[in-house]
Amino acid sequence: MSRNFAGHDAGHDAGSAQQHDAGLYATIFRRRDVRASFTGAPVPDEVMRRVLSAAHGAPSVGLSQPWDFILVESERTRASFWKHVQQEREAFAETLPPDRAELFARIKIEGIRESSLGVVVTYDSSRGDPGVLGRHAIADAGLYSVCLAVQNLWLAATAENLGVGWVSFYREAFLQELLGIPSGVRPVAWLCIGAVSHLERVPDLERHGWRSRLALEEVVHSERWGEHVSALTQGAT
Amino acid sequence: MSRNFAGHDAGHDAGSAQQHDAGLYATIFRRRDVRASFTGAPVPDEVMRRVLSAAHGAPSVGLSQPWDFILVESERTRASFWKHVQQEREAFAETLPPDRAELFARIKIEGIRESSLGVVVTYDSSRGDPGVLGRHAIADAGLYSVCLAVQNLWLAATAENLGVGWVSFYREAFLQELLGIPSGVRPVAWLCIGAVSHLERVPDLERHGWRSRLALEEVVHSERWGEHVSALTQGAT
C-alpha cells in the first residue's frame, strides 16, 4: 500500500536474504553482449547440450515451448549472413547524424565469423495451437516466451565461460531464406556463441560512449506509472 | 560443419565442462510459473532490490534499457485487475471444445491477490530513440529486451526462494488505464511475485494434463531448418 518502498524493510522474512544465491547474481552481472572477444575454439558437445537444455527449460505461455534452435557452423552460411549484416550496418549508419555515425563506425556489432557457432532462435506460433492457454488476449505472448529461452541460454553460456552476442542487424526474410525456415516460423535472434578470451566488465556501448546504464530508481514505479521509488537503490547490489 | 552434433565431443576445451555452474542450472530447472502456492508474506525491501537489479542488469538492444517496473501492492488495484482477468478467462474458455474447457476449469491461472505483490513490466519504445543501435531492421528487438529482463527477474526471485507467475489473461488497454501507463508505453507482463509454500516439481499445465514438455531434440536443428540433431540429448542434463 505504501509508495515508499523503504517501508518494506521492517522485519519480515529476513531469512531469505541470507539464503540468496550469490552465484546466480554473479552470472547475471558478469554476462556481456560479446562481439570482439571470441576465440573461435570449438564448444564441446556436452556444454552445448547443457546450454540448450537451459534454454529449453524456460517458461512459455500455455507450456507451448514455441522455440527452435538452429545451430549454424557452416562457414559458407555464416559468410552469407555476415555480408547481409554489413549491408544493414551501412543502412543504419546512413540514418545517423554525423557525430553518431562517426562513433558508430568504431563499434563492432557482431562476431558472426569469429564465434564458435551461431544459434538461430525462432518462434513457431502454430505450436500448441489452437487454444494456447494465455495467448488469446496477447498474441505476442508466444514471442515473449522465446525471449525467455534466449536469456536462459545466455546465462547458462556465461556460467560455462562462453560468450554470447545477439545480432539484430538483419532482415527476417533474409534469414528465413538462408536457413530454409518455413513461412509460419519467425526468426527472433542470431546468437553468436563461443569461447572467449575474456568478458568485458563494462558493456561495449557504454565503453564506447554510445549510451550509459540507467540507475535502477529511474525505472521503478510504485503502484502507478510515474510514482518513483526514491529509497529503492539504497543498499542495492 | 558436421550435421551430427555428437561430432563435437572430441577433445576440445573439455575443461569448461568441469567448471560449469551447477547452481545456475539448479535455479533454471527449479523455476516454476506459480499460481497456487503464494503465502502472501511480505517480501523484504532488500530482496526486491536484488531481484529488480537483476532484471535491470539484462541485455538490451542498443543498451536502450526500455523496461520499467511498476510495483503494485494496492488491494484495490489488484482486485480490479483480478476481476478483469476473470472476464478474460471466461472469454478464453468459450473458445475451447468441451473436453478442453472442462480441463481448463480446473486450472488456476493466476495468484494476483494471494501473491505478495504484482510487478508490471512495460516497454518504452522511445527510450534511446532516435537511433537505437540494432533496432532499425527489427522493430520488436526492444520488446525482446524487456523479456530478457523478465527472465532475469524470474530466476533471481527463484534463487531468493520466491515464486513468480506471469499472468497474460488481460487486455493491454485495460492495464494501461488501470496504472496510468502513457500511450507510448506498452505493458508486457503482470508478474505475481512473492513468498511461496513450495515450488512444484512439474509445471502445473503438465500436471493437469493440459500439455507436455517436448524433448530437447525435437527443437534443435543443425545448419538448416528441419535437419534434426539425433545425438544431442545423449547425456543431457
Side-chain angles (χ1 to χ4, degrees):
Chain A
M1 307 286 283
S2 154
R3 281 186 192 170
N4 188 332
F5 198 60
H8 271 256
D9 261 334
H12 300 290
D13 196 24
S16 67
Q18 271 78 53
Q19 298 162 25
H20 83 271
D21 181 349
L24 174 76
Y25 288 106
T27 303
I28 282 174
F29 295 117
R30 204 162 68 85
R31 181 214 53 74
R32 288 276 82 82
D33 201 334
V34 175
R35 281 79 171 71
S37 61
F38 290 113
T39 67
V43 179
D45 198 11
E46 69 273 18
V47 175
M48 277 308 294
R49 272 192 216 113
R50 287 197 295 266
V51 168
L52 292 167
S53 295
H56 189 49
S60 59
V61 64
L63 202 56
S64 55
Q65 305 152 85
W67 44 67
D68 282 87
F69 307 94
I70 309 170
L71 313 182
V72 181
E73 296 176 85
S74 156
E75 285 178 29
R76 180 182 293 189
T77 304
R78 291 205 258 175
S80 297
F81 185 63
W82 179 84
K83 194 172 165 189
H84 171 73
V85 166
Q86 300 323 298
Q87 289 162 0
E88 289 299 328
R89 180 185 175 116
E90 284 164 32
F92 176 67
E94 283 165 16
T95 69
L96 297 173
D99 59 325
R100 297 292 275 175
E102 197 181 319
L103 179 52
F104 179 59
R106 295 198 294 272
I107 299 175
K108 182 167 168 62
I109 59 161
E110 50 71 33
I112 297 162
R113 298 169 305 175
E114 306 91 325
S115 57
S116 305
L117 71 160
V119 176
V120 175
V121 189
T122 60
Y123 169 51
D124 182 353
S125 62
S126 74
R127 199 164 292 156
D129 219 26
V132 172
L133 191 158
R135 208 182 62 182
H136 80 283
I138 301 171
D140 280 343
L143 205 50
Y144 298 165
S145 303
V146 173
C147 300
L148 304 181
V150 168
Q151 186 62 2
N152 268 10
L153 182 154
W154 210 326
L155 293 174
T158 304
E160 299 279 3
N161 295 313
L162 300 174
V164 173
W166 183 327
V167 180
S168 57
F169 279 80
Y170 64 86
R171 300 287 161 180
E172 293 177 11
F174 179 90
L175 193 49
Q176 224 152 359
E177 172 74 21
L178 183 69
L179 302 183
I181 298 169
S183 61
V185 177
R186 185 174 170 189
V188 172
W190 179 298
L191 304 175
C192 301
I193 177 166
V196 288
S197 56
H198 65 289
L199 292 176
E200 298 289 347
R201 291 200 56 193
V202 175
D204 281 10
L205 295 184
E206 183 164 282
R207 239 175 42 250
H208 282 285
W210 179 264
R211 212 176 138 70
S212 302
R213 282 176 285 186
L214 302 170
L216 179 59
E217 72 259 38
E218 296 182 69
V219 298
V220 179
H221 311 241
S222 175
E223 301 296 350
R224 285 177 64 80
W225 182 272
E227 301 288 336
H228 282 284
V229 180
S230 58
L232 184 71
T233 53
Q234 291 169 13
T237 308
Chain B
M1 305 291 279
S2 152
R3 282 187 192 172
N4 187 332
F5 198 59
H8 271 258
D9 260 335
H12 298 291
D13 196 23
S16 67
Q18 271 80 52
Q19 295 161 26
H20 83 272
D21 180 349
L24 174 77
Y25 287 106
T27 302
I28 282 174
F29 295 117
R30 204 162 68 85
R31 180 214 54 76
R32 287 278 84 80
D33 201 334
V34 175
R35 281 79 171 67
S37 61
F38 289 112
T39 67
V43 179
D45 198 12
E46 69 272 20
V47 174
M48 278 308 295
R49 270 191 217 113
R50 287 197 296 266
V51 169
L52 292 167
S53 296
H56 189 48
S60 60
V61 63
L63 200 57
S64 55
Q65 305 153 85
W67 43 67
D68 282 87
F69 307 95
I70 308 170
L71 314 182
V72 181
E73 297 175 84
S74 156
E75 286 179 28
R76 181 183 293 187
T77 305
R78 291 204 258 176
S80 296
F81 185 63
W82 179 83
K83 194 172 164 187
H84 172 72
V85 166
Q86 300 324 298
Q87 289 161 1
E88 288 301 328
R89 179 185 177 117
E90 284 164 32
F92 176 66
E94 283 166 15
T95 70
L96 297 173
D99 59 324
R100 296 292 275 176
E102 197 182 321
L103 178 52
F104 178 59
R106 294 197 294 270
I107 298 175
K108 183 166 168 62
I109 59 162
E110 50 72 35
I112 296 162
R113 297 169 304 174
E114 306 92 326
S115 58
S116 305
L117 72 160
V119 176
V120 175
V121 189
T122 61
Y123 169 51
D124 182 353
S125 62
S126 74
R127 198 165 292 156
D129 220 23
V132 173
L133 192 159
R135 209 182 62 182
H136 80 283
I138 300 171
D140 281 343
L143 206 49
Y144 299 165
S145 302
V146 173
C147 299
L148 303 181
V150 169
Q151 187 62 3
N152 268 10
L153 183 155
W154 210 325
L155 294 174
T158 304
E160 300 278 3
N161 294 311
L162 300 174
V164 174
W166 182 327
V167 180
S168 58
F169 279 80
Y170 64 85
R171 299 288 160 177
E172 293 178 11
F174 179 89
L175 193 49
Q176 224 152 357
E177 172 74 20
L178 183 68
L179 302 183
I181 298 168
S183 61
V185 177
R186 185 174 171 190
V188 172
W190 178 298
L191 305 175
C192 300
I193 176 166
V196 287
S197 56
H198 65 288
L199 292 176
E200 298 288 347
R201 291 200 56 193
V202 175
D204 282 11
L205 295 183
E206 183 163 283
R207 241 175 41 250
H208 282 286
W210 179 267
R211 216 177 135 69
S212 302
R213 281 177 286 186
L214 302 169
L216 179 59
E217 72 259 36
E218 295 180 70
V219 298
V220 179
H221 312 241
S222 175
E223 300 298 349
R224 285 177 63 80
W225 182 272
E227 301 289 337
H228 282 284
V229 179
S230 58
L232 184 69
T233 52
Q234 290 171 12
T237 309

